[in-house]
């Protein structure tokens, strides 16, 4: 799946260790490994097994979640201004739709980090933890289509935020635990592209569901919630059944004992010792919570997610206002999402191939800026404004996978990864509070507040990405100067916590 990296030989591992970029615990006692050719074959087998199990399971999980999170936009666009539409059927106030969007994110943001720390304790099998909450999420998703009041919709969406909180962060944590720093970037691209496939097919489904309007006394927008909620329940059963444990305890149907030991070894070579009792594991939680790497890269994620959440929540509405009827507007969202998928594959593959992150992030941000500039200037031609959505999609979604891989590659230790990935997904998604409140209904179709806000945060993201690059570069220079004054034994101890950053 994606690029298959060349397996790392024993000599290359030793070389990596000697230049001080990897953890210190591997050097003292390298495990015995097969002959080089057999070793390469084993590494390829392990990689393909991970790609065929971890990425599809986590990706489908996130796709269904993203679909459940954004289907309210499709439900709304099916009946804008109509008596049986979402807003008028539930007697929603003028800002009711915006409130229904942001109320979801209150528990979603607050529960992300605690949920990942619980998962990290390994007291509950990952499949049960993730799949069980996904099952409850599907039930609540159906309840959105059954509610008879605006207040009922708000309660259900708040509960959706509670049970979805652990799922995206848990999925990204599982990917971080199973892949080396070099491998993770492409796998995060696959992961996010699964997510983009959710709203892509949601638009097609919404178009198909229009014919169910009135069936069993339910409006068409209700059937969107009911059918997609049932799909979530269905998928949750397979997540419970097939989701593997953490690498050290991977089931035998997934990895044989020899493969499991080899994978644990490769992960330790890449990331350093992360087991309980290691130097990385003993870092106090408060130090993790104030680490500048987590907060700076999360702010970069936040800035690009302002655009992502704007596309997810308002593109069907914007397309309707460009002149397409609501049902056609559903279909017209599909090419926008598809362009994001293609762009994410291409840019992230180049990122992994060249082992560079910051330059491609800045290029993606420039694509975003083109889209927002078109929206802000409000070009009269609908086709040009439609093109702006493509620029925004192609620039936004590659950033999300690259930033997730960038943070994962610059953290060490299970606690660090659990908190860091949850923080990025949780607090990065606070962007939804902004996007759900700046597209003011009374300002349509120009939405000056919404478009200006999107442009401003995109410019801020450019500045923050440059800042992250400079700080990581300077940190590496400082680390090199510090190591130059140490003995070999001191370097080995020092490298357990202070490893070489990538950018």
């Amino acid at each position: 799946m994606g690029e298959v990296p060349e397996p790392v030989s024993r000599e290359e591992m030793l070389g990596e260790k000697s230049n001080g970029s990897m953890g210190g615990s591997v050097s003292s006692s390298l495990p015995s490994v097969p002959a080089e050719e057999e070793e390469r074959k084993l590494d390829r087998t392990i990689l393909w097994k991970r790609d065929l199990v971890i990425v599809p399971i986590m990706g489908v999980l996130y796709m269904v979640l993203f679909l459940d999170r954004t289907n309210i936009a499709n439900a709304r666009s099916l009946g804008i201004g109509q008596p049986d539409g979402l807003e008028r059927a539930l007697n929603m106030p003028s800002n009711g739709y915006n409130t229904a969007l942001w109320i979801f994110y209150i528990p979603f943001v607050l529960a992300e980090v605690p949920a990942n720390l619980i998962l990290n304790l390994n007291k509950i099998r990952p499949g049960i933890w993730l799949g069980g909450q996904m099952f409850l999420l599907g039930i609540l998703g159906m309840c959105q289509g059954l509610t008879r009041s605006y207040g009922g919709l708000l309660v259900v969406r708040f509960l959706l935020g509670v049970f979805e909180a652990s799922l995206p962060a848990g999925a990204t944590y599982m990917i971080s635990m199973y892949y080396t720093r070099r491998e993770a970037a492409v796998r995060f691209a696959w992961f996010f592209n699964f997510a983009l496939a959710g709203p892509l097919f949601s638009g097609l489904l919404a178009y198909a569901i229009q014919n169910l309007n009135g069936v069993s006394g339910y409006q068409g927008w209700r059937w969107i919630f009911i059918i997609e909620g049932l799909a979530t329940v269905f998928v949750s059963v397979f997540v419970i059944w097939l989701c593997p444990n953490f690498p050290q305890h991977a089931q035998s149907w997934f990895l044989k004992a020899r493969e499991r030991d080899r994978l644990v070894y490769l992960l330790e070579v890449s990331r350093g010792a992360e087991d309980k009792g290691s130097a990385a594991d003993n870092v106090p939680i408060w130090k993790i919570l104030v680490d500048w790497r987590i907060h700076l890269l999360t702010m970069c994620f936040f800035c690009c997610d302002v655009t992502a959440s704007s596309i997810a929540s308002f593109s069907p509405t914007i397309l309707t206002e460009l002149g397409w009827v609501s049902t056609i507007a559903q279909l017209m969202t599909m090419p926008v999402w598809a362009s994001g998928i293609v762009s994410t594959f291409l840019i992230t593959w180049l990122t992994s191939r060249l082992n560079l992150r910051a330059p491609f992030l800045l290029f993606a941000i420039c694509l975003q800026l083109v889209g927002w500039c078109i929206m802000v200037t409000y070009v009269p031609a609908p086709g040009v404004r439609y093109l702006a959505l493509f620029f925004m999609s192609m620039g936004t979604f590659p950033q999300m996978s690259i930033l997730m891989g960038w943070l994962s590659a610059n953290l060490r230790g299970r606690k660090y990864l659990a908190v860091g990935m949850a923080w990025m997904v949780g607090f990065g998604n606070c962007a939804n509070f902004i996007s759900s409140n700046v597209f003011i209904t009374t300002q349509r179709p120009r939405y000056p507040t919404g478009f200006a806000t999107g442009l401003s945060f995109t410019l801020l993201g450019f500045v923050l990405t440059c800042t992250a690059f400079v700080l990581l570069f300077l940190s590496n220079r400082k680390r090199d100067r510090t190591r130059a004054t140490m003995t070999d034994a001191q370097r080995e101890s020092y490298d357990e916590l202070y490893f070489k950053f990538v950018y």
Side-chain angles (χ1 to χ4, degrees):
M1 188 174 293
E3 177 193 4
V4 180
E6 190 71 18
V8 183
S9 70
R10 182 182 178 90
E11 289 75 15
E12 289 170 324
M13 292 173 182
L14 284 166
E16 258 189 331
K17 175 67 192 126
S18 65
N19 71 21
S21 63
M22 298 298 150
S25 63
V26 187
S27 64
S28 56
S29 57
L30 283 169
S32 60
V33 291
E36 187 169 330
E37 193 56 41
E38 188 178 351
E39 184 179 273
R40 289 175 180 272
K41 183 178 178 182
L42 180 63
D43 289 348
R44 284 193 294 268
T45 300
I46 296 169
L47 182 62
W48 277 107
K49 282 191 173 186
R50 286 177 287 162
D51 284 347
L52 291 174
V53 175
I54 298 296
V55 175
I57 291 176
M58 298 302 121
V60 170
L61 180 150
Y62 196 40
M63 177 184 72
V64 174
L65 299 183
F66 204 73
L67 188 151
D68 280 341
R69 190 191 308 173
T70 59
N71 58 13
I72 190 172
N74 296 107
R76 181 200 191 197
S77 69
L78 275 184
I80 290 180
Q82 299 177 10
D84 59 350
L86 170 68
E87 291 170 291
R88 293 178 66 176
L90 297 182
N91 296 314
M92 295 169 66
S94 60
N95 65 340
Y97 177 70
N98 301 71
T99 303
L101 291 177
W102 64 255
I103 198 170
F104 167 91
Y105 289 98
I106 296 175
F108 180 82
V109 169
L110 295 177
E112 290 266 15
V113 173
N116 248 18
L117 288 174
I118 293 173
L119 178 62
N120 180 55
L121 293 175
N122 205 20
K123 301 293 184 183
I124 305 173
R125 191 168 70 81
I128 294 175
W129 176 255
L130 299 175
Q133 294 190 70
M134 191 176 181
F135 178 86
L136 296 173
L137 194 69
I139 300 296
L140 289 167
M142 288 188 286
C143 289
Q144 290 181 103
L146 301 175
T147 184
R148 294 293 174 180
S149 68
Y150 173 55
L153 178 67
L154 293 183
V155 170
V156 172
R157 287 196 60 81
F158 183 88
L159 293 174
L160 280 169
V162 172
F163 289 104
E164 187 173 327
S166 65
L167 298 177
T172 56
Y173 180 48
M174 288 292 290
I175 293 173
S176 297
M177 291 297 295
Y178 264 96
Y179 287 98
T180 65
R181 300 201 299 175
R182 185 73 177 269
E183 295 168 343
V186 172
R187 277 72 199 179
F188 276 118
W190 277 97
F191 175 73
F192 276 101
N193 279 337
F194 270 103
L196 298 183
L200 188 154
F201 290 115
S202 180
L204 181 62
L205 182 60
Y207 177 78
I209 286 175
Q210 66 174 316
N211 296 321
L212 293 178
N213 189 41
V215 174
S216 299
Y218 293 129
Q219 296 102 329
W221 63 265
R222 293 185 182 274
W223 281 111
I224 291 178
F225 292 125
I226 293 169
I227 291 175
E228 293 182 3
L230 281 170
T232 303
V233 171
F234 177 76
V235 172
S236 70
V237 175
F238 290 92
V239 174
I240 294 171
W241 177 32
L242 295 174
C243 180
N245 299 330
F246 289 122
Q248 294 83 353
H249 309 287
Q251 297 94 320
S252 58
W253 65 262
F254 174 39
L255 294 176
K256 298 173 184 176
R258 180 184 172 200
E259 294 169 339
R260 184 177 63 240
D261 293 342
R262 175 67 176 170
L263 173 60
V264 171
Y265 170 60
L266 292 173
L267 293 171
E268 186 171 329
V269 167
S270 172
R271 312 190 65 93
E274 297 180 325
D275 289 340
K276 192 170 182 63
S278 64
D281 183 68
N282 288 329
V283 176
I285 192 70
W286 69 266
K287 281 192 175 182
I288 299 174
L289 291 173
V290 299
D291 193 297
W292 65 268
R293 292 168 295 174
I294 294 175
H295 294 289
L296 181 55
L297 293 179
T298 294
M299 281 304 301
C300 294
F301 191 92
F302 177 96
C303 290
C304 80
D305 199 37
V306 170
T307 303
S309 55
S310 298
I311 294 172
S313 299
F314 290 96
S315 59
T317 302
I318 292 171
L319 290 173
T320 301
E321 289 161 357
L322 287 181
W324 288 294
V325 297
S326 60
T327 50
I328 299 300
Q330 304 290 343
L331 294 180
M332 297 303 290
T333 63
M334 294 177 62
V336 175
W337 293 105
S339 67
I341 291 175
V342 173
S343 175
T344 300
F345 274 134
L346 178 60
I347 294 177
T348 310
W349 181 82
L350 289 171
T351 298
S352 177
R353 185 77 174 176
L354 301 176
N355 201 24
L356 292 171
R357 292 144 183 95
F360 290 102
L361 280 171
L362 296 176
F363 171 74
I365 293 172
C366 289
L367 292 178
Q368 241 182 311
L369 286 171
V370 172
W372 280 118
C373 287
I374 293 173
M375 289 296 193
V376 169
T377 54
Y378 196 75
V379 179
V384 177
R385 280 179 280 154
Y386 184 47
L387 178 64
L389 292 175
F390 285 85
F391 278 110
M392 292 158 66
S393 177
M394 291 188 295
T396 299
F397 297 113
Q399 291 180 62
M400 302 180 84
S401 57
I402 294 172
L403 285 168
M404 197 71 71
W406 197 10
L407 179 62
S408 172
N410 284 313
L411 298 179
R412 175 172 293 177
R414 292 182 55 171
K415 265 194 304 189
Y416 248 116
L417 283 172
V419 172
M421 305 315 287
W423 199 279
M424 176 170 275
V425 173
F427 286 88
N429 272 293
C430 285
N432 289 271
F433 289 112
I434 294 182
S435 63
S436 62
N437 286 291
V438 295
F439 287 89
I440 302 167
T441 305
T442 56
Q443 293 183 347
R444 62 187 178 189
R446 288 183 175 270
Y447 295 111
T449 303
F451 295 152
T453 302
L455 178 61
S456 300
F457 275 100
T458 303
L459 289 169
L460 178 60
F462 190 96
V463 173
L464 291 175
T465 300
C466 293
T467 303
F469 169 79
V470 170
L471 290 178
L472 290 171
F473 176 79
L474 293 176
S475 296
N476 278 350
R477 293 283 297 272
K478 180 181 177 182
R479 173 184 177 274
D480 290 342
R481 288 195 300 269
T482 302
R483 292 181 79 255
T485 64
M486 294 179 175
T487 64
D488 289 343
Q490 289 173 326
R491 287 193 195 102
E492 185 172 330
S493 176
Y494 180 79
D495 290 346
E496 289 185 18
L497 274 182
Y498 302 98
F499 56 99
K500 195 166 188 176
F501 298 136
V502 295
Y503 38 76

